Amino acid sequence: MKTLTAPRSSVSDCVARVATGISDFFDEKEALALPYGRRYPELWAAARRSSEGGKRIRPALVIHAYKALGGTRDDDVVTVATAFELLHTAFVLHDDVIDGDTVRRGQPNLVGAFSAHASGRGATATSAATWGEASAIVAGDLLIYSAQAHIARLDIPGSTRVALLDLLEECMFVTAAGELADVAFSTAVEPPVLSEVLSMTQWKTAHYSFQDPLRAGAILAGAGDTTLTALGDYGRHIGIAFQLRDDLLGVFGSERLTGKSVTSDLREGKITPLMCYALQCDDTGELRDILAREDVTEPDARRARRILTSSGARDFIEGLIDDYTRRAMAAIDSPLVPESLRMQLETVARKAGERSA
Amino acid sequence: MKTLTAPRSSVSDCVARVATGISDFFDEKEALALPYGRRYPELWAAARRSSEGGKRIRPALVIHAYKALGGTRDDDVVTVATAFELLHTAFVLHDDVIDGDTVRRGQPNLVGAFSAHASGRGATATSAATWGEASAIVAGDLLIYSAQAHIARLDIPGSTRVALLDLLEECMFVTAAGELADVAFSTAVEPPVLSEVLSMTQWKTAHYSFQDPLRAGAILAGAGDTTLTALGDYGRHIGIAFQLRDDLLGVFGSERLTGKSVTSDLREGKITPLMCYALQCDDTGELRDILAREDVTEPDARRARRILTSSGARDFIEGLIDDYTRRAMAAIDSPLVPESLRMQLETVARKAGERSA
């Protein structure tokens, strides 16, 4: 049986096309990099690896919002979704440099791989570290650039392109504020105050991971301001819940399931809302001491977990997750949010509240 | 006497408007940053300071090319020129992080100022360094983003905007390759080979500082491919000459005139074409030893200068500067390059060849 028009593709088809789009993007860049020194194609290959293995949450949110709100131009939504995934990879690359991390998901990250390679070629420890960090800084720069380029080159009506550029500019601006606040707390440049640490969580994670992908899909589909506000509110609340769950898993989770060390947040002295709450009741200064250590042992981590539990911090954060999840659901309880999208976002919300990895 | 149309403004008026444009840009961002934590407005204020004090060579080249080739829309050319200056500031910020520099033009740079501030608030040396470097990484990210945003938002015909986006993408891509190659040589990840070190100079400096500003001005003015090629060739050659002069001044210059330490290139083990040539004749390994040191004393620097002179490296580089300057001039010896622009570019070329600061 023949059809005269191509059948409209499903959300999962579009998500798959994002994977292809990202792969094509890196293919092109790796080929273009060949005339520019031996290391440049390797950098692009490593940047590609940094973009792989994630859950592709952000592209899926862009596409869900777009499709549910009536969007039909698959090429455009795949391009916007790809932009968010590249931006995410860029943020991860620079975040790892700033945190001094050399491992992600149990494997050497770009810094770790490039440093090890330099050491293998006889570089000093200092030079090897410089090479690893410089490479990750440059790779992140290129992906920040490329994310915006995807939006800037969209062949869509000028007003929609400007609205998307406005959104992405706000996304970049707020995420950078969150990154800076995060470092300010963990380096003790700023004293941790719970309300401010919660704001940092929203700026650093919720905005670019939930609010903005949903709003971008909606803008591209031509949705009105009320719908944008509802999706933004949902994204803000669910994004905070998602990050709070991440913070709990970073200390109490199963390393086997999360692929993330359950001592690294402690070792880096990360001030999450979980830590911030516990520090406020930490009369003995024991938790503060553990967070200040360069090397955190398994016994240290066990003591920290005990303090986080006995102080009530763990229960407090579980309560916050429930609360933010409820507020997220309330935000999309509107006839302007199509039933199919609401059901999808409920599933996301449930996962954010309950996931173990 | 009245005129019905506003008089066409001069090149210097437009260069002055770039300064205003940059100032307005930072005013807006600093105001927007106020709700995002105490440190974020300070970051924007520091990014503004990083953008000040330069010679504004790149904006001037954009504007000279545009005006000489008949462009009349001042707002557009000021926007494009501003984009190049913001990109330059971003590259300087990230370059300083990668090189471990805390001083620029005799003053603490963003890394140095933020680290010192953290130390003053009681942060450990490690935390203070992390804070300084993280702040400069984030500031550079924001300016890379903002540079492209200036181009992406231009209200000009689609084909011109796409041509400018293509140019800026190539600019970013090649400069990143140059930065990576530079670090590869100085960390000994790549053995220095003169032809490759010269290529690195072109990628890292000539492209974004000379080739691309000139070509951007020309594209915006609607110039044809032959003109673009002529200006690109001029820019490539004069950009290399400019950087070779910079390399000489970095070792033999007057610190009072350049504002740049004459031991820092040596201390950082920078592999410039000057060093590379001398290393190839360095049978005793004396220069190699000096470049490998973490701390370079004034007697070390004197010995290095002696080796660079006696090996013929200094004369060789002076010869290359003459040669590249001649090739630059030959490239614009074409009726397609207006007389006024050629005269201006001759002045630039003379300065690149002869300057002492």
Side-chain angles (χ1 to χ4, degrees):
Chain A
M1 201 175 82
K2 281 188 183 180
T3 51
L4 285 174
T5 55
R8 201 188 291 183
S9 68
S10 68
V11 168
S12 60
D13 289 343
C14 282
V15 173
R17 282 188 54 198
V18 172
T20 314
I22 291 174
S23 181
D24 291 347
F25 166 78
F26 283 111
D27 284 347
E28 186 197 338
K29 295 297 182 184
E30 269 188 69
L32 286 171
L34 287 173
Y36 294 98
R38 271 178 290 275
R39 302 300 155 213
Y40 202 39
E42 291 175 7
L43 185 80
W44 280 103
R48 178 204 295 264
R49 282 192 296 278
S50 305
S51 79
E52 291 169 348
K55 301 192 194 97
R56 301 269 153 88
I57 296 172
R58 297 159 194 84
L61 290 175
V62 175
I63 294 163
H64 274 301
Y66 181 72
K67 291 268 175 180
L69 292 163
T72 56
R73 290 171 53 116
D74 286 353
D75 287 354
D76 294 343
V77 75
V78 166
T79 300
V80 174
T82 300
F84 275 97
E85 192 64 13
L86 293 177
L87 197 63
H88 169 57
T89 306
F91 289 153
V92 167
L93 282 164
H94 282 187
D95 198 48
D96 280 354
V97 173
I98 289 169
D99 290 346
D101 282 332
T102 54
V103 171
R104 185 166 284 258
R105 300 196 196 106
Q107 299 289 321
N109 63 11
L110 197 153
V111 178
F114 275 53
S115 298
H117 179 250
S119 296
R121 290 173 72 90
T124 63
T126 309
S127 284
T130 298
W131 173 243
E133 288 167 14
S135 300
I137 291 173
V138 171
D141 290 352
L142 287 162
L143 296 189
I144 286 173
Y145 188 92
S146 300
Q148 185 181 182
H150 275 74
I151 306 288
R153 289 169 178 285
L154 279 172
D155 187 14
I156 55 177
S159 60
T160 310
R161 198 179 53 247
V162 168
L164 284 174
L165 285 170
D166 286 345
L167 177 83
L168 201 70
E169 187 156 322
E170 186 191 340
C171 174
M172 184 74 207
F173 186 85
V174 175
T175 309
E179 180 73 26
L180 193 78
D182 190 18
V183 183
F185 292 130
S186 67
T187 55
V189 166
E190 277 296 314
V193 175
L194 187 58
S195 62
E196 295 175 11
V197 177
L198 272 169
S199 293
M200 174 274 284
T201 295
Q202 189 225 325
W203 305 335
K204 184 177 169 178
T205 306
H207 228 284
Y208 93 90
S209 301
F210 293 89
Q211 283 174 257
D212 297 333
L214 284 170
R215 293 197 298 162
I219 287 171
L220 192 64
D225 284 348
T226 318
T227 309
L228 287 177
T229 303
L231 292 176
D233 286 348
Y234 165 88
R236 184 168 70 251
H237 293 129
I238 209 62
I240 298 173
F242 184 92
Q243 184 56 47
L244 293 175
R245 172 64 61 207
D246 221 48
D247 296 341
L248 282 173
L249 291 171
V251 181
F252 293 102
S254 154
E255 216 161 308
R256 194 177 50 78
L257 293 178
T258 62
K260 191 184 159 189
S261 157
V262 288
T263 54
S264 71
D265 277 11
L266 293 166
R267 196 189 60 241
E268 287 161 16
K270 281 269 167 234
I271 305 297
T272 60
L274 173 73
M275 300 292 180
C276 185
Y277 184 98
L279 284 170
Q280 286 172 3
C281 332
D282 182 38
D283 296 333
T284 63
E286 204 180 344
L287 183 60
R288 195 177 324 264
D289 288 349
I290 295 172
L291 287 173
R293 273 180 212 161
E294 298 274 312
D295 196 33
V296 172
T297 62
E298 190 41 52
D300 289 336
R302 272 199 300 273
R303 274 193 305 141
R305 281 183 212 113
R306 218 159 38 226
I307 297 167
L308 290 167
T309 305
S310 65
S311 63
R314 187 179 185 177
D315 285 345
F316 174 75
I317 297 299
E318 287 285 2
L320 277 184
I321 292 173
D322 283 350
D323 192 35
Y324 279 111
T325 305
R326 258 196 307 273
R327 282 150 81 178
M329 297 311 306
I332 49 170
D333 186 12
S334 147
L336 286 170
V337 178
E339 182 62 21
S340 64
L341 181 57
R342 190 158 53 237
M343 281 172 61
Q344 191 55 45
L345 296 180
E346 277 178 13
T347 310
V348 171
R350 250 196 321 280
K351 278 192 196 156
E354 296 166 4
R355 75 201 161 93
S356 59
Chain B
M1 201 175 81
K2 280 188 184 179
T3 51
L4 285 174
T5 54
R8 200 188 291 184
S9 68
S10 69
V11 168
S12 59
D13 289 343
C14 282
V15 173
R17 281 188 55 198
V18 171
T20 314
I22 291 173
S23 181
D24 291 348
F25 165 79
F26 283 110
D27 284 348
E28 186 198 337
K29 295 297 183 184
E30 269 188 68
L32 287 171
L34 287 173
Y36 294 98
R38 271 178 290 275
R39 302 300 154 213
Y40 202 38
E42 291 174 9
L43 185 79
W44 279 104
R48 177 203 295 265
R49 283 192 296 278
S50 305
S51 79
E52 291 169 348
K55 301 192 194 100
R56 300 270 152 88
I57 295 171
R58 296 159 195 85
L61 289 175
V62 174
I63 295 163
H64 275 301
Y66 180 73
K67 292 266 175 182
L69 292 164
T72 56
R73 291 170 54 114
D74 286 353
D75 287 354
D76 294 342
V77 75
V78 166
T79 300
V80 174
T82 301
F84 275 96
E85 193 65 13
L86 293 177
L87 197 63
H88 169 57
T89 307
F91 289 153
V92 167
L93 282 165
H94 282 187
D95 198 47
D96 280 355
V97 173
I98 288 168
D99 290 345
D101 282 332
T102 54
V103 172
R104 185 166 284 260
R105 300 194 197 105
Q107 299 290 320
N109 62 10
L110 198 152
V111 178
F114 274 54
S115 298
H117 178 250
S119 297
R121 290 172 73 89
T124 63
T126 308
S127 284
T130 298
W131 174 243
E133 288 167 15
S135 300
I137 291 173
V138 171
D141 289 352
L142 287 162
L143 296 189
I144 286 172
Y145 188 92
S146 300
Q148 185 180 183
H150 275 73
I151 306 287
R153 288 169 178 286
L154 279 172
D155 186 15
I156 55 177
S159 60
T160 310
R161 199 181 52 246
V162 168
L164 285 173
L165 285 170
D166 286 344
L167 178 84
L168 201 70
E169 187 155 322
E170 186 191 340
C171 174
M172 184 74 208
F173 186 86
V174 175
T175 310
E179 180 73 27
L180 193 77
D182 190 18
V183 183
F185 292 130
S186 67
T187 55
V189 166
E190 277 297 314
V193 175
L194 187 58
S195 62
E196 295 174 11
V197 177
L198 271 169
S199 293
M200 174 274 285
T201 295
Q202 188 226 326
W203 305 335
K204 184 176 169 180
T205 306
H207 228 282
Y208 94 89
S209 301
F210 293 88
Q211 283 174 258
D212 297 333
L214 285 169
R215 292 197 298 161
I219 287 171
L220 192 63
D225 284 347
T226 318
T227 309
L228 286 177
T229 303
L231 292 176
D233 286 347
Y234 165 88
R236 184 169 68 251
H237 293 129
I238 210 61
I240 298 172
F242 184 93
Q243 184 56 46
L244 293 174
R245 173 63 62 208
D246 221 49
D247 296 341
L248 282 173
L249 291 171
V251 180
F252 294 101
S254 154
E255 214 161 309
R256 196 177 49 78
L257 293 178
T258 62
K260 190 184 159 187
S261 157
V262 288
T263 54
S264 70
D265 277 10
L266 293 166
R267 196 188 61 242
E268 287 162 17
K270 282 267 166 236
I271 305 298
T272 60
L274 173 72
M275 300 291 180
C276 185
Y277 185 98
L279 283 171
Q280 286 172 2
C281 333
D282 182 36
D283 296 332
T284 63
E286 204 180 347
L287 183 61
R288 196 177 321 263
D289 287 349
I290 296 172
L291 287 173
R293 273 179 212 164
E294 299 273 313
D295 197 33
V296 172
T297 62
E298 190 39 54
D300 289 335
R302 272 199 300 273
R303 274 193 304 141
R305 281 183 212 111
R306 217 158 40 225
I307 297 167
L308 290 168
T309 307
S310 65
S311 63
R314 189 180 185 175
D315 286 344
F316 173 75
I317 298 298
E318 288 285 2
L320 277 184
I321 293 173
D322 284 348
D323 191 35
Y324 278 111
T325 306
R326 257 196 306 273
R327 282 150 80 177
M329 297 311 305
I332 48 170
D333 186 12
S334 148
L336 287 170
V337 178
E339 181 63 21
S340 65
L341 181 58
R342 190 159 51 238
M343 283 172 60
Q344 191 55 46
L345 296 180
E346 278 178 12
T347 310
V348 172
R350 250 197 321 279
K351 278 192 196 158
E354 296 165 5
R355 74 202 161 92
S356 58

